[in-house]
Amino acid sequence: MKPTITSAVRRAPDPFAGDDVIAGLRAPRKSLPCKLLYDARGAELFEQICTLDEYYPYRAELALLEHHLPAIAQAIGPSARVIEPGSGAGRKTRMLLAALDRPAVYIPIDVSAEQLATTARELGTELPGLQVAPIAADYTAAFELPVTRRHDGRTLVFFPGSTIGNFEPEDARRFLVRFAQLAGPGASIVLGADSNAEPEVLLRAYDDSQGVTAAFDLNVLAHLNRTHHATFDPSAFMHRAVWDASRSRIEMHLVSRRRQIVHVAGEPIQLERGEPIVTEHCYKHSPQMLEALLRESGWRTRHVFPDPVGRMRLWFAERPDARP
Ligand code: AVI
């Protein structure tokens, strides 16, 4: 059968239009939206992070997928429709699609139209019979699923990478509720999450010895200079990772090395020496927290697959209407 690729990548409105950059920089605790980490250079640096020994979540989840995808694929059955928010570079996607029995439709959702077009082209060739229907959108904003060919199988939402940890708790709930509704009756979800709470391991994972995470964080400033007419001098900032045990989260900070005034879209922003700008929160959910989050969002946990040291877990859950 010939591969089917929905011809044009469907584009949603620009995710950076009218955003909250200035509001975040004017707040008493300065912050920037973490989506700014992922321009083309940021995506490259994140791929490098995933190769670092210190950044354990990527490898741990890869091993979990290798071991448990056959069981998950069996539970899903043939002719599935797969929806993937934030599809990224696609290694884990390929593992999933290869494990599934003749998947029918793949809907990747990502802000990068170029990345989506490449993934769609490649998958279309690798998996004839699969309809690829990409959506270029910020998956945290409103969008509609494309109309695709009829399929007899289940719908699976695939959300690996412990990205759920980058949402604020209320946003995580909203996201999971929305995807339960979008995916529809009988749907399942495979989600990766990290529960690690060992500060030394976490601080090394988020402030590695080679400085790749620091470069990833500092790249936000170059990104803002380009897209928001900002005047940041990245060398006037340093990256810092902070573990907040009371909130069970790692925070990425860009710390101002001196007192300075920076302009963003013509607006002056004053920074004191040592003042941080928070660029990302990475929540580490205990298994109890994650199970409750799924339940409150309309998902019922069927299986949890932990790694041997009990940090990363793959969660396999379904909507309550999935089985009699
Ligand atoms: C994409 N996300 C799951 C990564 C994380 O671990 O929270 C982003 C990251 N930030 C620094 N290193 C990796």
PDB file of all heavy atoms in Angstrom, residues 38 46 49 55 161-163 166 205-206 213 216 252 280 282 284, ligand 1:
ATOM      1  N   TYR A  38      13.235  25.892  23.166  1.00  0.00           N
ATOM      2  CA  TYR A  38      13.237  24.994  22.012  1.00  0.00           C
ATOM      3  C   TYR A  38      13.169  25.692  20.662  1.00  0.00           C
ATOM      4  O   TYR A  38      12.249  25.479  19.891  1.00  0.00           O
ATOM      5  CB  TYR A  38      12.102  23.969  22.155  1.00  0.00           C
ATOM      6  CG  TYR A  38      12.282  23.132  23.389  1.00  0.00           C
ATOM      7  CD1 TYR A  38      11.619  23.472  24.569  1.00  0.00           C
ATOM      8  CD2 TYR A  38      13.155  22.051  23.413  1.00  0.00           C
ATOM      9  CE1 TYR A  38      11.805  22.740  25.727  1.00  0.00           C
ATOM     10  CE2 TYR A  38      13.359  21.317  24.566  1.00  0.00           C
ATOM     11  CZ  TYR A  38      12.678  21.668  25.711  1.00  0.00           C
ATOM     12  OH  TYR A  38      12.879  20.949  26.862  1.00  0.00           O
ATOM     13  N   PHE A  46      19.219  20.004  23.303  1.00  0.00           N
ATOM     14  CA  PHE A  46      18.473  19.025  24.099  1.00  0.00           C
ATOM     15  C   PHE A  46      18.811  17.601  23.652  1.00  0.00           C
ATOM     16  O   PHE A  46      18.949  16.696  24.481  1.00  0.00           O
ATOM     17  CB  PHE A  46      16.965  19.279  24.035  1.00  0.00           C
ATOM     18  CG  PHE A  46      16.203  18.292  24.879  1.00  0.00           C
ATOM     19  CD1 PHE A  46      16.410  18.238  26.255  1.00  0.00           C
ATOM     20  CD2 PHE A  46      15.323  17.394  24.313  1.00  0.00           C
ATOM     21  CE1 PHE A  46      15.755  17.298  27.054  1.00  0.00           C
ATOM     22  CE2 PHE A  46      14.659  16.454  25.095  1.00  0.00           C
ATOM     23  CZ  PHE A  46      14.875  16.414  26.466  1.00  0.00           C
ATOM     24  N   ILE A  49      21.923  16.771  25.354  1.00  0.00           N
ATOM     25  CA  ILE A  49      21.670  16.469  26.776  1.00  0.00           C
ATOM     26  C   ILE A  49      21.278  14.996  26.926  1.00  0.00           C
ATOM     27  O   ILE A  49      21.722  14.304  27.843  1.00  0.00           O
ATOM     28  CB  ILE A  49      20.556  17.392  27.340  1.00  0.00           C
ATOM     29  CG1 ILE A  49      21.072  18.823  27.467  1.00  0.00           C
ATOM     30  CG2 ILE A  49      20.030  16.892  28.683  1.00  0.00           C
ATOM     31  CD1 ILE A  49      20.014  19.850  27.882  1.00  0.00           C
ATOM     32  N   TYR A  55      22.394  12.818  32.494  1.00  0.00           N
ATOM     33  CA  TYR A  55      20.957  13.007  32.253  1.00  0.00           C
ATOM     34  C   TYR A  55      20.320  11.623  32.082  1.00  0.00           C
ATOM     35  O   TYR A  55      20.134  11.118  30.980  1.00  0.00           O
ATOM     36  CB  TYR A  55      20.711  13.895  31.027  1.00  0.00           C
ATOM     37  CG  TYR A  55      19.255  14.288  30.892  1.00  0.00           C
ATOM     38  CD1 TYR A  55      18.674  15.192  31.779  1.00  0.00           C
ATOM     39  CD2 TYR A  55      18.451  13.738  29.901  1.00  0.00           C
ATOM     40  CE1 TYR A  55      17.333  15.533  31.679  1.00  0.00           C
ATOM     41  CE2 TYR A  55      17.100  14.081  29.799  1.00  0.00           C
ATOM     42  CZ  TYR A  55      16.561  14.975  30.689  1.00  0.00           C
ATOM     43  OH  TYR A  55      15.213  15.312  30.604  1.00  0.00           O
ATOM     44  N   GLY A 161       9.158  10.985  27.820  1.00  0.00           N
ATOM     45  CA  GLY A 161      10.166  12.029  28.038  1.00  0.00           C
ATOM     46  C   GLY A 161      10.031  12.775  29.352  1.00  0.00           C
ATOM     47  O   GLY A 161      10.768  13.720  29.590  1.00  0.00           O
ATOM     48  N   SER A 162       9.098  12.402  30.195  1.00  0.00           N
ATOM     49  CA  SER A 162       8.817  13.096  31.468  1.00  0.00           C
ATOM     50  C   SER A 162       8.516  14.587  31.256  1.00  0.00           C
ATOM     51  O   SER A 162       8.755  15.408  32.125  1.00  0.00           O
ATOM     52  CB  SER A 162       9.926  12.887  32.516  1.00  0.00           C
ATOM     53  OG  SER A 162      11.109  13.545  32.176  1.00  0.00           O
ATOM     54  N   THR A 163       7.974  14.891  30.077  1.00  0.00           N
ATOM     55  CA  THR A 163       7.593  16.283  29.785  1.00  0.00           C
ATOM     56  C   THR A 163       6.438  16.738  30.666  1.00  0.00           C
ATOM     57  O   THR A 163       6.260  17.933  30.895  1.00  0.00           O
ATOM     58  CB  THR A 163       7.230  16.415  28.289  1.00  0.00           C
ATOM     59  OG1 THR A 163       8.342  15.899  27.544  1.00  0.00           O
ATOM     60  CG2 THR A 163       6.989  17.848  27.871  1.00  0.00           C
ATOM     61  N   ASN A 166       7.257  19.294  33.168  1.00  0.00           N
ATOM     62  CA  ASN A 166       7.499  20.708  32.837  1.00  0.00           C
ATOM     63  C   ASN A 166       6.226  21.557  32.920  1.00  0.00           C
ATOM     64  O   ASN A 166       6.265  22.757  32.694  1.00  0.00           O
ATOM     65  CB  ASN A 166       8.133  20.848  31.454  1.00  0.00           C
ATOM     66  CG  ASN A 166       9.501  20.184  31.360  1.00  0.00           C
ATOM     67  OD1 ASN A 166       9.782  19.471  30.420  1.00  0.00           O
ATOM     68  ND2 ASN A 166      10.353  20.390  32.349  1.00  0.00           N
ATOM     69  N   ALA A 205      22.158  16.069  36.786  1.00  0.00           N
ATOM     70  CA  ALA A 205      21.370  15.871  35.547  1.00  0.00           C
ATOM     71  C   ALA A 205      20.992  17.210  34.916  1.00  0.00           C
ATOM     72  O   ALA A 205      20.876  17.322  33.699  1.00  0.00           O
ATOM     73  CB  ALA A 205      20.117  15.060  35.854  1.00  0.00           C
ATOM     74  N   TYR A 206      20.801  18.242  35.776  1.00  0.00           N
ATOM     75  CA  TYR A 206      20.314  19.535  35.259  1.00  0.00           C
ATOM     76  C   TYR A 206      21.389  20.636  35.285  1.00  0.00           C
ATOM     77  O   TYR A 206      21.095  21.782  34.993  1.00  0.00           O
ATOM     78  CB  TYR A 206      19.053  19.956  36.028  1.00  0.00           C
ATOM     79  CG  TYR A 206      17.866  19.096  35.638  1.00  0.00           C
ATOM     80  CD1 TYR A 206      17.609  17.904  36.307  1.00  0.00           C
ATOM     81  CD2 TYR A 206      17.054  19.454  34.568  1.00  0.00           C
ATOM     82  CE1 TYR A 206      16.547  17.096  35.921  1.00  0.00           C
ATOM     83  CE2 TYR A 206      15.998  18.653  34.179  1.00  0.00           C
ATOM     84  CZ  TYR A 206      15.739  17.472  34.856  1.00  0.00           C
ATOM     85  OH  TYR A 206      14.691  16.677  34.463  1.00  0.00           O
ATOM     86  N   THR A 213      23.812  21.604  29.475  1.00  0.00           N
ATOM     87  CA  THR A 213      22.543  22.145  29.989  1.00  0.00           C
ATOM     88  C   THR A 213      22.658  23.659  30.181  1.00  0.00           C
ATOM     89  O   THR A 213      21.703  24.399  29.928  1.00  0.00           O
ATOM     90  CB  THR A 213      22.140  21.453  31.304  1.00  0.00           C
ATOM     91  OG1 THR A 213      22.226  20.039  31.111  1.00  0.00           O
ATOM     92  CG2 THR A 213      20.727  21.819  31.719  1.00  0.00           C
ATOM     93  N   PHE A 216      22.181  25.145  26.845  1.00  0.00           N
ATOM     94  CA  PHE A 216      20.752  24.990  26.503  1.00  0.00           C
ATOM     95  C   PHE A 216      19.938  26.113  27.168  1.00  0.00           C
ATOM     96  O   PHE A 216      19.100  26.765  26.529  1.00  0.00           O
ATOM     97  CB  PHE A 216      20.331  23.614  27.010  1.00  0.00           C
ATOM     98  CG  PHE A 216      18.874  23.258  26.910  1.00  0.00           C
ATOM     99  CD1 PHE A 216      18.230  23.167  25.690  1.00  0.00           C
ATOM    100  CD2 PHE A 216      18.150  22.936  28.068  1.00  0.00           C
ATOM    101  CE1 PHE A 216      16.891  22.787  25.619  1.00  0.00           C
ATOM    102  CE2 PHE A 216      16.827  22.554  28.001  1.00  0.00           C
ATOM    103  CZ  PHE A 216      16.193  22.480  26.771  1.00  0.00           C
ATOM    104  N   MET A 252      15.407  25.648  36.759  1.00  0.00           N
ATOM    105  CA  MET A 252      16.548  26.154  35.987  1.00  0.00           C
ATOM    106  C   MET A 252      16.506  27.675  36.092  1.00  0.00           C
ATOM    107  O   MET A 252      15.479  28.296  35.799  1.00  0.00           O
ATOM    108  CB  MET A 252      16.460  25.725  34.529  1.00  0.00           C
ATOM    109  CG  MET A 252      16.491  24.219  34.341  1.00  0.00           C
ATOM    110  SD  MET A 252      17.606  23.718  33.009  1.00  0.00           S
ATOM    111  CE  MET A 252      16.868  24.526  31.613  1.00  0.00           C
ATOM    112  N   GLU A 280      12.683  27.282  33.698  1.00  0.00           N
ATOM    113  CA  GLU A 280      11.981  25.995  33.607  1.00  0.00           C
ATOM    114  C   GLU A 280      11.766  25.411  34.990  1.00  0.00           C
ATOM    115  O   GLU A 280      12.630  25.527  35.859  1.00  0.00           O
ATOM    116  CB  GLU A 280      12.803  25.004  32.773  1.00  0.00           C
ATOM    117  CG  GLU A 280      12.078  23.719  32.455  1.00  0.00           C
ATOM    118  CD  GLU A 280      12.905  22.776  31.577  1.00  0.00           C
ATOM    119  OE1 GLU A 280      14.084  22.539  31.892  1.00  0.00           O
ATOM    120  OE2 GLU A 280      12.370  22.275  30.582  1.00  0.00           O
ATOM    121  N   CYS A 282      10.923  21.580  36.568  1.00  0.00           N
ATOM    122  CA  CYS A 282      10.846  20.156  36.225  1.00  0.00           C
ATOM    123  C   CYS A 282      10.330  19.434  37.468  1.00  0.00           C
ATOM    124  O   CYS A 282      11.126  19.127  38.375  1.00  0.00           O
ATOM    125  CB  CYS A 282      12.209  19.602  35.821  1.00  0.00           C
ATOM    126  SG  CYS A 282      13.106  20.660  34.668  1.00  0.00           S
ATOM    127  N   LYS A 284       9.057  16.508  39.802  1.00  0.00           N
ATOM    128  CA  LYS A 284       9.330  15.079  39.938  1.00  0.00           C
ATOM    129  C   LYS A 284       8.173  14.484  40.726  1.00  0.00           C
ATOM    130  O   LYS A 284       8.014  14.776  41.915  1.00  0.00           O
ATOM    131  CB  LYS A 284      10.678  14.866  40.663  1.00  0.00           C
ATOM    132  CG  LYS A 284      11.854  15.546  39.957  1.00  0.00           C
ATOM    133  CD  LYS A 284      12.065  14.983  38.553  1.00  0.00           C
ATOM    134  CE  LYS A 284      13.005  15.794  37.693  1.00  0.00           C
ATOM    135  NZ  LYS A 284      13.168  15.269  36.335  1.00  0.00           N
TER     136      LYS A 284
HETATM  137  C1  AVI B   1      11.912  18.098  28.044  1.00  0.00           C
HETATM  138  N1  AVI B   1      12.004  17.911  29.482  1.00  0.00           N
HETATM  139  C2  AVI B   1      11.314  16.699  29.900  1.00  0.00           C
HETATM  140  C3  AVI B   1      13.360  18.025  30.030  1.00  0.00           C
HETATM  141  C4  AVI B   1      13.339  17.789  31.568  1.00  0.00           C
HETATM  142  O1  AVI B   1      14.089  16.941  32.021  1.00  0.00           O
HETATM  143  O2  AVI B   1      12.533  18.412  32.266  1.00  0.00           O
HETATM  144  C5  AVI B   1      13.962  19.381  29.734  1.00  0.00           C
HETATM  145  C6  AVI B   1      15.324  19.589  30.298  1.00  0.00           C
HETATM  146  N2  AVI B   1      15.711  20.625  30.939  1.00  0.00           N
HETATM  147  C7  AVI B   1      16.972  20.518  31.281  1.00  0.00           C
HETATM  148  N3  AVI B   1      17.401  19.351  30.901  1.00  0.00           N
HETATM  149  C8  AVI B   1      16.392  18.747  30.249  1.00  0.00           C
END
